[in-house]
Amino acid sequence: MKGRLLVSVFLILGLISLGGMVYAGAPAKVIIGHPACLSGKYAKAGEQALGGIKACVKWVNEVYGGVKIGGKKVPLEYKYYDCESKKEVVTSLIERLITVDKVNVVFAPYSSGLTLSGAPVAEKYGMLYMDHGGASDRIFQQGFKYIVQTIGPGTRYHVGTLDMIHKVDPKAKRVALAYEDSEFARMVMRGAEEHAKKLGFKIVFKRTYPKGVTDLTPLLSDLKAAKPDFILGGGHFEDGQLFNRQMADLDINVKALSLIAAATLPAFYEALGNLAEGVMGPSHWEYGVKYSPEAARKEGLKWIGPTQDEFVKLFKEALGKDIMPDYHAAEAGAQVLAYVLAVEEANSIDPTKVRAALDKLNFMSFYGRWDVDETGKQVGHSMVDMQWQGGKRVIVWPPEAATGKLYYPMPTFAEKAKGKVAVPK
């Protein structure tokens, strides 16, 4: 009897050791944990991320058939809590997701600051920590081993915008930089300043404003006196909206205005209406981009996920609202797809093995190309520039991705007030 029992034990242990085929290789389900920003400062972007993740989890389960591990297809489960856009809540929720909910991966919250605050907790537990909303390059300069980025790095945000203006208007030389004093926005400003100087632009104004600012009049008054040709700035939704509204109050008219994070959100136009006409923003994804299975084949890349239109449909169903996804939704959804491919490549849910597999991934989805460097920073994805035209988001740069023509110079606030805004054809 004892002999048979020992043989049984050894057989079970042997099966477990064979790539985790019984225990680690084929779990009943794979759980994604997420401290989501559903209230507080980042609620608008957080809602988009929630819809994007839910959309792609549903696609994986119902269309793709689940995640293939150990020869079996198992479903994804999405476990999330509201982190209230607060650092202390993020850290406690990540610990709960790992120790109580026993998740297999943690998706970081929105924003660089919150993402960075949660990284040490994930690192302590050796938990894979996937970053869909933290763009600061500094996150990947800390030596963390388990963090991987889907969103592109902050220093690249306004590079394309500067390239575009440099090409369409060689006479526009005077640029003003005015960004929120946050981890993410400071990194964007650093990249913009370096690239502007490289292209020969003259920086006539450079300043940051505090997080949670309620009045930008003093800063904008000084900016107006500097007489810039165009302005690059912003930080997040609330301050970006305030920035644009108070520019109108002070009648600051420039050839181009590009605001990070805020301008790409549908809520930006809902809040400002005509005042938003002509405003641009760098985006990781916009409806109309040309990423497709055919485009992936041409580049020799693996394709996974829903098509662009399928994603939009799934997103609306997930939120139960007739609103369009923006790049916050797309990057969060694409992160689900990256995780699925890495788990299948590793044939395991072990965070260390999946992290190693993510290093090797190079694929395309509706969001575009995905590839990371040795630190986990995203290097494969390219950004586009969008502009509000006639109440719609139009891709205006780069030319190969454009869905419409650039409105340049942008309409003055007097023209907007009178409704005299002609969309370029």
Side-chain angles (χ1 to χ4, degrees):
M1 182 70 180
K2 287 183 179 179
R4 285 198 297 271
L5 181 62
L6 285 171
V7 169
S8 298
V9 169
F10 283 129
L11 280 171
I12 292 169
L13 289 173
L15 286 169
I16 290 171
S17 67
L18 289 173
M21 294 294 284
V22 172
Y23 176 67
K29 57 188 175 183
V30 179
I31 309 173
I32 296 170
H34 185 205
C37 296
L38 304 181
S39 63
K41 181 177 181 179
Y42 305 127
K44 294 293 183 183
E47 179 187 46
Q48 286 275 328
L50 181 80
I53 294 169
K54 284 186 171 182
C56 285
V57 166
K58 185 175 183 179
W59 182 87
V60 169
N61 289 339
E62 297 184 6
V63 180
Y64 193 63
V67 190
K68 190 175 182 180
I69 313 172
K72 292 178 63 178
K73 288 273 193 172
V74 298
L76 287 177
E77 181 180 311
Y78 177 38
K79 183 75 174 180
Y80 62 91
Y81 300 100
D82 182 11
C83 73
E84 304 171 27
S85 304
K86 296 177 181 177
K87 290 182 180 181
E88 64 274 14
V89 182
V90 167
T91 54
S92 64
L93 284 180
I94 290 176
E95 191 139 22
R96 177 194 170 108
L97 286 162
I98 295 170
T99 62
V100 178
D101 297 307
K102 307 296 183 182
V103 302
N104 303 113
V105 59
V106 172
F107 280 14
Y110 177 72
S111 86
S112 295
L114 294 183
T115 296
L116 193 54
S117 71
V121 183
E123 200 75 11
K124 181 177 77 171
Y125 287 98
M127 174 56 66
L128 180 62
Y129 188 53
M130 297 189 72
D131 165 23
H132 67 85
S136 173
D137 297 55
R138 196 168 77 85
I139 297 170
F140 299 88
Q141 297 166 357
Q142 310 302 306
F144 296 126
K145 296 178 181 178
Y146 287 91
I147 189 167
V148 177
Q149 187 181 47
T150 299
I151 190 174
T155 47
R156 299 289 301 171
Y157 266 57
H158 268 140
V159 167
T161 316
L162 287 159
D163 287 340
M164 173 176 59
I165 295 172
H166 184 254
K167 182 174 182 178
V168 302
D169 187 4
K171 293 181 180 179
K173 293 296 184 183
R174 300 170 64 83
V175 55
L177 307 177
Y179 293 84
E180 181 187 58
D181 190 12
S182 64
E183 178 69 36
F184 159 60
R186 286 194 304 271
M187 198 62 66
V188 178
M189 184 166 71
R190 191 184 82 182
E193 181 179 12
E194 290 174 356
H195 199 63
K197 289 178 178 177
K198 180 181 176 182
L199 294 177
F201 288 109
K202 181 179 181 181
I203 298 170
V204 296
F205 183 89
K206 177 190 170 187
R207 195 178 301 177
T208 60
Y209 52 84
K211 294 168 69 174
V213 66
T214 57
D215 184 13
L216 285 167
T217 303
L219 178 145
L220 290 173
S221 296
D222 290 345
L223 183 152
K224 184 177 183 179
K227 298 180 179 179
D229 291 317
F230 63 99
I231 302 169
L232 307 180
H236 292 96
F237 176 70
E238 296 295 343
D239 60 280
Q241 184 187 158
L242 179 68
F243 197 114
N244 195 78
R245 194 181 297 280
Q246 293 195 322
M247 274 187 64
D249 293 341
L250 295 169
D251 197 32
I252 302 174
N253 293 298
V254 289
K255 293 182 176 181
L257 168 65
S258 181
L259 297 172
I260 55 174
T264 59
L265 288 165
F268 184 78
Y269 199 94
E270 291 170 13
L272 296 170
N274 242 24
L275 292 181
E277 285 292 328
V279 178
M280 295 187 295
S283 176
H284 292 279
W285 177 88
E286 289 293 320
Y287 183 75
V289 292
K290 308 300 182 184
Y291 305 122
S292 65
E294 294 75 23
R297 279 196 294 272
K298 286 181 180 178
E299 294 192 34
L301 297 173
K302 181 181 179 67
W303 170 271
I304 184 175
T307 64
Q308 177 177 249
D309 287 332
E310 287 171 337
F311 174 71
V312 171
K313 182 175 181 290
L314 289 167
F315 172 83
K316 290 181 178 181
E317 289 174 356
L319 291 185
K321 296 180 180 180
D322 188 23
I323 60 172
M324 288 293 288
D326 66 13
Y327 80 76
H328 301 90
E331 67 201 13
Q335 188 159 281
V336 175
L337 305 175
Y339 179 67
V340 167
L341 284 180
V343 168
E344 292 185 339
E345 175 67 26
N347 194 31
S348 171
I349 53 173
D350 177 81
T352 302
K353 293 179 180 178
V354 178
R355 173 67 185 84
L358 284 163
D359 269 346
K360 302 173 185 176
L361 282 189
N362 189 351
F363 71 95
M364 183 183 288
S365 70
F366 70 94
Y367 174 66
R369 188 180 163 204
W370 198 100
D371 187 21
V372 297
D373 68 11
E374 65 279 1
T375 70
K377 185 170 74 173
Q378 181 63 226
V379 294
H381 190 70
S382 299
M383 300 191 72
V384 298
D385 280 77
M386 57 72 61
Q387 183 179 46
W388 283 105
Q389 297 181 8
K392 296 179 181 179
R393 296 199 305 261
V394 177
I395 303 171
V396 293
W397 190 265
E400 60 269 22
T403 58
K405 295 180 180 179
L406 174 67
Y407 196 154
Y408 187 92
M410 66 184 290
T412 66
F413 287 111
E415 290 170 334
K416 295 178 186 182
K418 294 176 182 178
K420 294 181 178 179
V421 178
V423 177
K425 297 179 181 180

